[in-house]
Amino acid sequence: MNTLKITKATTDDVLKLQSIGRQTFSETFADVNSEENMKKYLDESFATAKLTAELKNLSSYFYLAVLDEKIVGYLKLNTADAQTEKEDLNALEIERIYVAKEFHGKKVAQALYAQAEQMAEEIKASYMWLGVWEKNFRAVSFYTKNGFIQFDTHIFRLGNDEQTDLMMKKVLI
């Protein structure tokens, strides 16, 4: 594998972000969710206007994983009031780490996670937290390996399906 670069996304990257977001979410969840619910979620969550607004939010940060000029994954972080749950203003939320299926097991997710750790250090966050679907065993294992522990659950809506996410956190100070 050649050099993997993690680059901060800007509004100029909205279509690239939309493409990798739709691809990786579909690869991860299409087999275990209805086509109707997947379409509704993808259309809403990855709409150009919504992603542009998120990219412009000064409390949200997107990073692209680029390998040989190809985007192979991305990361979304939230701080302050951009967090999806109001846990603590001094925390960093990892809202999304997604990697294209063909690059699973190639340390791309770990490189994106390292970027999250760097951001947490820069903002002096007291902890990092996230929500991960209880049936996404690969992701739960990844976060557990990186020191996260479950502290709660919450409901994630995919179309009209309510799913349970594990809330996990890693205390930093």
Side-chain angles (χ1 to χ4, degrees):
M1 183 151 97
N2 293 333
T3 306
L4 177 69
K5 292 184 285 196
I6 306 298
T7 61
K8 191 170 190 306
T10 68
T11 52
D12 291 340
D13 298 312
V14 68
L15 296 179
K16 295 174 188 173
L17 182 61
Q18 183 181 59
S19 177
I20 192 66
R22 286 175 167 274
Q23 175 193 337
T24 55
F25 195 87
S26 293
E27 287 175 349
T28 305
F29 300 114
D31 290 346
V32 291
N33 288 286
S34 76
E35 189 175 326
E36 180 184 326
N37 283 338
M38 285 295 296
K39 180 178 180 349
K40 181 173 173 40
Y41 183 83
L42 292 172
D43 288 350
E44 291 173 1
S45 296
F46 296 102
T48 305
K50 184 176 192 316
L51 287 177
T52 300
E54 290 175 353
L55 282 160
K56 287 180 178 178
N57 185 331
L58 298 178
S59 297
S60 292
Y61 306 85
F62 285 91
Y63 295 89
L64 301 172
V66 183
L67 181 65
D68 297 332
E69 308 302 315
K70 179 180 179 176
I71 297 170
V72 299
Y74 77 105
L75 165 70
K76 182 182 182 200
L77 303 173
N78 296 315
T79 61
D81 60 355
Q83 295 177 81
T84 57
E85 303 256 340
K86 305 304 180 231
E87 291 300 320
D88 185 342
L89 291 181
N90 193 33
L92 177 67
E93 176 189 14
I94 299 175
E95 186 177 348
R96 299 182 184 143
I97 292 182
Y98 282 99
V99 175
K101 200 170 209 157
E102 67 180 291
F103 294 96
H104 283 187
K106 301 197 183 312
K107 307 288 185 206
V108 176
Q110 200 62 49
L112 289 166
Y113 174 71
Q115 179 64 52
E117 285 186 311
Q118 182 181 328
M119 171 65 78
E121 191 174 308
E122 286 174 19
I123 67 167
K124 297 178 177 34
S126 56
Y127 64 91
M128 291 188 290
W129 72 275
L130 55 94
V132 59
W133 188 32
E134 65 183 348
K135 295 180 182 174
N136 188 347
F137 305 116
R138 181 183 188 89
V140 172
S141 175
F142 174 81
Y143 293 120
T144 300
K145 178 185 81 170
N146 279 290
F148 284 77
I149 57 167
Q150 181 184 345
F151 70 94
D152 203 352
T153 61
H154 71 180
I155 298 299
F156 175 82
R157 292 192 62 82
L158 186 85
N160 63 11
D161 187 23
E162 289 189 353
Q163 302 177 351
T164 301
D165 273 5
L166 305 179
M167 306 274 295
M168 300 181 80
K169 75 175 169 182
K170 179 179 182 178
V171 176
L172 303 172
I173 41 178

